[in-house]
Amino acid sequence: MTEESMFIASENDQHDIAKASNSLIFHSLRTFASLLRGKFHCYNGYYNKMKGKVQTVLGPVEPNTLGVTLTHEHLLHELPLEVFRHPLPKNIPPLKDSPFTVGNLGWLRQYPYCFDDNNIYTDEGVRKAVKEEMHFFKQVGGGTIVDNGSIGLRAKDQVQFLTTLSKETGVNVVTGTGFYVVFAQSQSVISMKVEEMAAKIRDDILNGIDDTGIKCGVIGEIGCSWPLDDFERKSLVSSAIVQEETGCPVIIHPGRDKESPEEIFRVFQEAGGKIGHTVMSHLERTLHTKQDLAEFASLGSYCEFDLFGIEVSYYQHNEDIDMPSDAQRIKRLHYLIEQGFGDKIVISHDIHTKHRLMKYGGHGFSHIIANVVPNMKKRGFSEDHIRKILINNPQKWLTFE
């Protein structure tokens, strides 16, 4: 055997070992998931009561009361600054600690993750701005916002803030549980076992977050990197287990690679997750060709385009990606409708920084209603298409099965 053939054989052996290892892992996950599902059958009474309902922070509601729904927003979050922090390019003036002013807004829009103040999303300025925007969102026809406040993103008083916000503005708020990306987690969370993670998710849905009695209505956003970290695999498995038990909707943040969504669904589905009751987020920065979009949509999940309002093509988190404009997003939605996937599209803004709030010079939570919908109509979307995307599809997804 030549040295070259020995090298090839070694690579093949490694591939076979990896394949066998993955098979064993998936088999173990299925077995473990089955054991956990049997262990927690005692909660079936509660879950049967939730079947056909949507869980908001103020309690269960009928799906047909949701109205226009944004499926992926952040009304508050406390993500560690280092998770998203990027250095300014060397040719840019040292503006990192500059005040948030109109004069700096151009830099903030181009390099949003270089300015720490822009990414602090729990201060009084943000709370006041979000409250004002929620009133405006209601005035222009908005009905419901899904706050993707999973562990790693969730602020200490988040659910109390969301509850007050919903009461004062009349906007339904659905909040999330589960776990964000590994980089946002403490070591104690990273070391949790699947059973412990599932128990936490289950408790947030069944009893409420941290003894507040305020219950979660979605599992997510479940944070995934590329490639998947071991912690994130545990997170997907625990989410799948609880989804199968409870019928709770799931929403997933994929890694920044076109292979990520399918890798995620392999793990998620093997553990009992229901793809048809799950949203895959951020598709406009993840899948870039019509073929990739159509192939992914054929898997049956909800396809979410949730970065509406971002009109800067430079994408700090992955410079190899050109962020599409709203016009390009609309074209992709139209293509999916033409391919027969109109029942599986949801849209949102994923606002999580100050500069995208109206008070700070941004487009705000009402951008889709005020600006995107009129453009959709001009581009050939029917009233039925728009109603499905903004009302019917979110209703179906958010309803406990």
Side-chain angles (χ1 to χ4, degrees), residues 118-164:
N118 189 41
N119 296 289
I120 295 172
Y121 204 73
T122 53
D123 61 29
E124 285 305 312
V126 166
R127 292 167 190 259
K128 184 178 179 181
V130 167
K131 181 178 176 181
E132 290 171 356
E133 288 214 21
M134 291 278 277
H135 280 292
F136 187 68
F137 177 70
K138 184 71 172 178
Q139 289 173 17
V140 297
T144 301
I145 289 180
V146 181
D147 177 81
N148 284 243
S150 54
I151 296 164
L153 289 166
R154 187 186 294 165
K156 293 179 180 65
D157 65 337
Q158 181 142 335
V159 288
Q160 294 91 334
F161 175 71
L162 298 181
T163 302
T164 301

Side-chain angles (χ1 to χ4, degrees), residues 203-221:
D203 192 55
D204 282 355
I205 297 168
L206 178 66
N207 299 313
I209 296 173
D210 300 333
D211 300 320
T212 62
I214 302 166
K215 298 172 184 176
C216 296
V218 298
I219 301 171
E221 63 183 298

Side-chain angles (χ1 to χ4, degrees), residues 36-321:
L36 284 182
R37 284 191 289 275
K39 185 175 180 180
F40 293 101
H41 70 280
C42 56
Y43 295 133
N44 283 347
Y46 172 79
Y47 299 140
N48 288 338
K49 187 173 76 171
M50 277 305 301
K51 188 174 182 180
K53 307 285 187 181
V54 174
Q55 180 70 269
T56 76
V57 294
L58 299 182
V61 299
E62 295 295 332
N64 61 9
T65 65
L66 296 185
V68 172
T69 300
L70 302 179
T71 51
H72 196 129
E73 302 295 347
H74 297 277
L75 301 174
L76 209 66
H77 75 73
E78 203 164 6
L79 183 71
L81 290 174
E82 59 271 17
V83 175
F84 276 169
R85 183 185 284 138
H86 286 261
L88 273 167
K90 292 180 180 179
N91 62 315
I92 304 301
L95 298 167
K96 179 177 178 294
D97 298 317
S98 298
F100 203 119
T101 65
V102 172
N104 292 331
L105 195 53
W107 298 114
L108 283 158
R109 287 173 176 164
Q110 187 72 18
Y111 305 108
Y113 303 108
C114 295
F115 297 84
D116 282 355
D117 185 51
N118 189 41
N119 296 289
I120 295 172
Y121 204 73
T122 53
D123 61 29
E124 285 305 312
V126 166
R127 292 167 190 259
K128 184 178 179 181
V130 167
K131 181 178 176 181
E132 290 171 356
E133 288 214 21
M134 291 278 277
H135 280 292
F136 187 68
F137 177 70
K138 184 71 172 178
Q139 289 173 17
V140 297
T144 301
I145 289 180
V146 181
D147 177 81
N148 284 243
S150 54
I151 296 164
L153 289 166
R154 187 186 294 165
K156 293 179 180 65
D157 65 337
Q158 181 142 335
V159 288
Q160 294 91 334
F161 175 71
L162 298 181
T163 302
T164 301
L165 206 57
S166 185
K167 287 178 179 177
E168 292 185 359
T169 65
V171 176
N172 296 308
V173 177
V174 178
T175 195
T177 181
F179 299 85
Y180 195 50
V181 295
V182 63
F183 305 108
Q185 307 299 338
S186 66
Q187 191 55 50
S188 62
V189 171
I190 292 171
S191 63
M192 291 173 74
K193 298 177 182 178
V194 169
E195 185 172 7
E196 294 171 316
M197 296 170 78
K200 174 57 179 168
I201 297 170
R202 188 182 299 109
D203 192 55
D204 282 355
I205 297 168
L206 178 66
N207 299 313
I209 296 173
D210 300 333
D211 300 320
T212 62
I214 302 166
K215 298 172 184 176
C216 296
V218 298
I219 301 171
E221 63 183 298
I222 302 305
C224 297
S225 308
W226 175 260
L228 274 173
D229 181 85
D230 287 344
F231 168 80
E232 293 163 352
R233 288 180 183 273
K234 292 190 296 181
S235 173
L236 285 169
V237 171
S238 58
S239 299
I241 290 168
V242 179
Q243 185 193 43
E244 189 173 17
E245 290 173 6
T246 64
C248 185
V250 170
I251 183 166
I252 297 173
H253 162 111
R256 296 177 180 90
D257 188 280
K258 71 174 186 176
E259 303 297 332
S260 180
E262 289 195 30
E263 180 195 35
I264 287 165
F265 275 162
R266 281 195 296 272
V267 176
F268 184 69
Q269 195 170 28
E270 286 283 348
K274 307 299 182 185
I275 290 177
H277 201 199
T278 299
V279 167
M280 186 62 73
S281 304
H282 314 321
L283 289 187
E284 63 261 72
R285 60 82 161 149
T286 310
L287 302 177
H288 307 288
T289 69
K290 289 182 176 180
Q291 181 180 348
D292 287 342
L293 275 175
E295 287 180 359
F296 177 75
S298 68
L299 297 177
S301 80
Y302 287 93
C303 299
E304 185 175 78
F305 293 77
D306 50 35
L307 298 170
F308 273 94
I310 295 180
E311 297 281 6
V312 176
S313 61
Y314 174 65
Y315 184 46
Q316 280 191 283
H317 295 316
N318 187 341
E319 295 182 0
D320 293 331
I321 293 172

